[in-house]
Amino acid sequence: MKGGGFSYWRRKTSNAFVTILFSSSVLIVLLPLILIVGYLFFKGASSVNLNFFIHRPAPVGEHGGGMGNAIIGSVYVVGLASLLGIPIGLLGGMFVGEFPHNKFSTLVRFVADVLNGTPSIVMGVFAYTVVVLPMKSFSVLAGGFALGVMMIPTILRTTDEILQTVPTSIREASLALGVPYWRTVLSVVLRSAKSGIITGILLAGARVLGETAPLLFTSFNNAFFSYSVTQPISTLPVQIFNYAISPYRDWHRQAWAGALILVLAILIVNFAVRVFSRQRFDQTV
Amino acid sequence: MSNSNDINSGIVAQDLKAFFGNIEVLKGISVSMQKKKVTALIGPSGCGKTTFLRTLNRMHELARNASIKGKVIVDGTDIYSPGIDPVLVRRKIGMVFQKPNPFPTMTIYENVVAGLKLTGRHSRKELDEVVERTLVQAALWDEVKDSLRKSGASLSGGQQQRLCIARTLAVNPEVILMDEPASALDPISTAKIEELIFQLKDTYTIVIVTHNMQQAARVSDFTAFFYLGELIEFNNTRSMFTRPQKKQTEDYITGRFG
Ligand SMILES: Nc1ncnc2c1ncn2[C@@H]1O[C@H](COP(=O)(O)OP(=O)(O)O)[C@@H](O)[C@H]1O
Ligand SMILES: [Mg+2]
C-alpha cells in the first residue's frame, strides 16, 4: 500500500535521525571525561612510579620525591570525615525517611539541601572558625570536620530517598508478624535499601576526596609524613594545588601525576558504586 | 443462627468505627466471629472489608491519620484497651496480604523464620523444624525443599503467597486474617490456597476477605456482607447464600451489583 510505504520510510528516517541525535549527545557527555582522563595520562603517567607513592615531596632543586604523605593524608582526612558524616547522615536520613511527613523532617531536609548547595570554601571557613581557631593549629581534625560536615547532607538525602522507595508492603509484612517498628526498620527496611545507601556513602566519600578549598584552611599542608590528628597534614588536592601554582617544572609534573591518581581513585569509587547498585537487581541469594 | 455472642471466645467487634482523617470508613460494625471457624467478608469494592480486617490486628492505625472508635475483643481481651501492646496483638493475629509480599532480600528459609528471628533467639534446630512444619502446612514443602536457599522472590506468585502463609504460621498465631489472598493468582494456585484454608481451619480462627462468591461459599462457615462501611448481614454461609435476609445482600450475591 502506498500510504504504508510512505509511513515506513518516514519511520526509517526519523529513526535514523533520533539515533544520531542520541549518539551525539552521548558523545558530548563522554567527551570531557575522555579528554580529561586522556590528558592526565599524557601529562602525568610518566611521573607515576613507585617513588611517587612512597616518598614525600623533595625540596626544590632535588629530583624525585613523591606524594606518599599526601595520599596517606587524604585517606586519613576522608576516613575521619566518614566517622562524622556516615553515622550522622545515616541516622538523620533514617529519621527523615521513616517519618517523611513530620514537620521536623521537612526542616531537616531543607537544611540538608541548603548545606548541599553551600560552597565548599564556606565549609572551610566554618571549620576554621570552630576547630582551627580554638585549637590554635591547622589539623587533620579540622579537615575531617569540614569534609565530614559536607558528607552529611549527601548521605542523609540519599538514605531518605532510598528508604521511601522501600515498598509499604515490605514494612507491613514485617509489622504484621509482630516485629517491633524499630526492628522492622533496622532489619527489614534497611536491608532492602542496603545497596542504595552504600551507593550514597561511596558517592559522598568520592565527592569530598577531591575537595580542595575546605582543606586549605583546615588540614593545610605538611611537607612530611605525619600521623597526628592535631597536626596539619598533606592531602592530594592541596598538594596538587601547591605544586600547580609553583614556578617549577618538576613540581608541575608531580601535580599532573597527583591529579591523575586522584581522578583514578574517584573513578574507581564510582565504578564500585555501579557494581553495588547493580546488585540490587539480581539478588538471587 | 448459632450462638455467636460468646464474648470470651473468638473475635467480637462492638460498634467499631474506623477513620481516615475525619472520613468515617466503617460506620459502627458489631459482629462476632467464632473461634476455629472461617468467616468470609464480602461486599463491593471500597465498602471497607480491608479496613475492617486491618482493625482486627491493629494494622489500621499504621496508616496516616488513621484512627478507630469502639472495641475489638479477641478471646475476652479488648485489643484496643490501653496497656495492650499492638506488637503482641499482631504476633497473635497474623495477616496475609492481597499481593504476595515475601521479603525480597531474603531466602525462602529466611522468609519463613523472619518473624521468629526478628523477635527472639532460636536454635538452628528449632528453626529448621519450624521451616519444615510450616512449609508442609502451607503445602509448599515439596516444591521448595531443595531450594530453601533461593530468593523468596524467585518463586511464582502462587508459591509466594503460600510462602507468606508459612511465614505467618511460623510465629504461631491463633487468628489468621487474609485479604483476598488469591485475587492475584491463577485458578490452580487459587484452588491450592482454598484447600489450604480448609486444612488450617481446624487449628486457627480465619477471617478472609474475598470478592469471589463461589470462594466464600466454598471455604467459609460464616459470611459477613459489607456495604458502604456498614455490616448489612451476617449469617452462616449456607443460609446467607440460600436465603439472604436483606434485599441488598441478595442483589449482591446474585450479581446484580458490585
Ligand atoms: N489509606 C487510606 N486513606 C484514605 N482513605 C482510604 C485509605 N484506604 C482506604 N481508604 C478508603 O476507605 C474505604 C474503604 O476501603 P477498603 O477498606 O480498602 O475497601 P475494600 O477492601 O472493601 O475494597 C474506601 O472508600 C477507600 O477509598
Ligand atoms: Mg480491599
Side-chain angles (χ1 to χ4, degrees):
Chain A
M1 273 242 270
K2 220 173 174 185
F6 175 71
S7 70
Y8 174 70
W9 283 110
R10 223 180 89 133
R11 187 155 57 76
K12 283 286 254 196
T13 39
S14 57
N15 186 36
F17 177 72
V18 171
T19 308
I20 291 170
L21 203 70
F22 276 132
S23 328
S24 37
S25 315
V26 169
L27 257 177
I28 291 170
V29 171
L30 282 179
L31 210 59
L33 180 66
I34 295 170
L35 284 180
I36 290 171
V37 176
Y39 198 64
L40 285 177
F41 263 101
F42 171 69
K43 288 289 223 177
S46 61
S47 311
V48 176
N49 49 34
L50 186 62
N51 281 343
F52 180 83
F53 289 99
I54 58 177
H55 285 189
R56 69 184 188 83
V60 194
E62 269 178 51
H63 271 291
M67 291 201 183
N69 60 337
I71 292 172
I72 291 174
S74 269
V75 171
Y76 209 1
V77 173
V78 173
L80 211 65
S82 304
L83 285 186
L84 175 72
I86 294 175
I88 297 181
L90 210 56
L91 289 173
M94 280 167 60
F95 178 85
V96 173
E98 281 302 311
F99 306 102
H101 306 293
N102 193 302
K103 277 210 185 68
F104 189 61
S105 298
T106 315
L107 177 70
V108 168
R109 258 190 216 118
F110 175 74
V111 170
D113 289 344
V114 170
L115 215 54
N116 235 341
T118 306
S120 56
I121 195 152
V122 176
M123 289 298 182
V125 175
F126 172 60
Y128 180 82
T129 316
V130 301
V131 186
V132 176
L133 287 183
M135 287 178 67
K136 299 194 173 62
S137 160
F138 295 116
S139 64
V140 176
L141 274 179
F145 176 77
L147 297 189
V149 173
M150 292 183 65
M151 287 176 81
I152 293 172
T154 324
I155 296 175
L156 189 145
R157 290 295 265 141
T158 26
T159 306
D160 171 21
E161 271 155 37
I162 297 290
L163 286 186
Q164 291 192 58
T165 63
V166 175
T168 318
S169 64
I170 307 254
R171 282 167 223 268
E172 292 203 328
S174 173
L175 293 170
L177 289 171
V179 178
Y181 184 74
W182 62 272
R183 196 70 214 257
T184 298
V185 172
L186 290 182
S187 304
V188 177
V189 179
L190 273 192
R191 191 168 163 175
S192 309
K194 195 175 63 186
S195 55
I197 291 173
I198 293 176
T199 300
I201 290 173
L202 287 177
L203 286 177
R207 187 181 147 214
V208 297
L209 184 62
E211 281 295 345
T212 320
L215 298 182
L216 289 173
F217 329 78
T218 51
S219 56
F220 194 58
N221 203 349
N222 193 330
F224 302 94
F225 280 94
S226 165
Y227 302 97
S228 160
V229 287
T230 54
Q231 291 301 310
I233 203 166
S234 177
T235 52
L236 269 175
V238 172
Q239 191 66 11
I240 293 167
F241 175 72
N242 284 339
Y243 275 178
I245 60 171
S246 77
Y248 312 109
R249 256 289 138 83
D250 250 8
W251 282 10
H252 289 172
R253 272 200 289 276
Q254 293 273 353
W256 283 114
L260 175 63
I261 297 304
L262 187 59
V263 167
L264 286 182
I266 291 170
L267 277 180
I268 288 170
V269 174
N270 278 277
F271 199 73
V273 166
R274 303 290 311 167
V275 173
F276 262 115
S277 35
R278 182 126 23 99
Q279 266 181 3
R280 190 154 44 164
F281 299 104
D282 42 39
Q283 250 156 3
T284 32
V285 188
Chain B
M1 221 164 109
S2 49
N3 70 318
S4 45
N5 290 323
D6 182 359
I7 214 169
N8 290 314
S9 153
I11 308 170
V12 182
Q14 287 178 350
D15 196 24
L16 182 67
K17 295 174 178 162
F19 303 83
F20 288 107
N22 45 25
I23 302 167
E24 192 180 24
V25 172
L26 293 179
K27 298 167 183 167
I29 306 291
S30 296
V31 65
S32 144
M33 293 168 281
Q34 284 187 33
K35 217 176 168 69
K36 298 195 182 177
K37 296 281 185 217
V38 179
T39 303
L41 310 180
I42 62 169
S45 224
C47 67
K49 306 181 295 291
T50 297
T51 306
F52 179 66
L53 204 66
R54 289 169 63 94
T55 58
L56 301 182
N57 66 341
R58 297 194 63 170
M59 290 292 284
H60 174 69
E61 68 208 53
L62 295 172
R64 228 181 136 203
N65 298 326
S67 60
I68 73 122
K69 278 187 189 141
K71 284 184 177 171
V72 175
I73 299 157
V74 178
D75 291 344
T77 310
D78 179 4
I79 61 168
Y80 283 99
S81 63
I84 296 279
D85 183 355
V87 166
L88 298 179
V89 170
R90 292 178 203 133
R91 217 168 288 174
K92 187 173 159 181
I93 307 178
M95 181 164 225
V96 177
F97 296 81
Q98 185 163 1
K99 202 164 149 269
N101 58 354
F103 298 118
T105 53
M106 296 189 191
T107 64
I108 294 172
Y109 186 101
E110 289 170 328
N111 259 285
V112 176
V113 298
L116 291 176
K117 274 189 122 170
L118 296 177
T119 57
R121 298 196 141 274
H122 303 269
S123 72
R124 179 79 200 190
K125 194 162 151 279
E126 206 179 331
L127 294 179
D128 287 347
E129 189 273 321
V130 168
V131 168
E132 176 161 357
R133 173 172 59 77
T134 57
L135 284 174
V136 167
Q137 267 185 300
L140 189 59
W141 176 249
D142 289 333
E143 291 159 62
V144 302
K145 63 169 184 272
D146 299 319
S147 50
L148 294 174
R149 301 277 154 222
K150 278 209 346 229
S151 161
S154 68
L155 299 173
S156 76
Q159 289 173 323
Q160 286 188 13
Q161 194 61 301
R162 279 177 283 150
L163 177 62
C164 292
I165 292 173
R167 178 177 71 184
T168 302
L169 297 176
V171 291
N172 217 3
E174 287 165 31
V175 179
I176 303 175
L177 309 174
M178 298 182 167
D179 191 358
E180 305 195 34
S183 70
L185 307 182
D186 62 86
I188 294 176
S189 303
T190 303
K192 280 191 177 144
I193 302 272
E194 285 182 15
E195 174 62 24
L196 188 56
I197 294 169
F198 238 84
Q199 305 293 325
L200 296 176
K201 76 172 178 187
D202 295 337
T203 327
Y204 305 94
T205 308
I206 297 177
V207 184
I208 178 173
V209 173
T210 175
H211 58 220
N212 179 328
M213 295 310 110
Q214 285 80 26
Q215 187 170 68
R218 279 194 299 268
V219 303
S220 70
D221 304 297
F222 296 91
T223 299
F225 173 61
F226 283 72
Y227 186 59
L228 298 178
E230 287 180 81
L231 177 67
I232 305 297
E233 189 168 345
F234 178 82
N235 209 336
N236 73 61
T237 299
R238 180 185 294 264
S239 319
M240 181 87 126
F241 281 92
T242 50
R243 291 182 308 279
Q245 305 293 308
K246 297 266 170 57
K247 176 85 168 57
Q248 286 151 312
T249 316
E250 188 179 345
D251 287 350
Y252 182 71
I253 61 183
T254 53
R256 239 167 286 173
F257 76 93

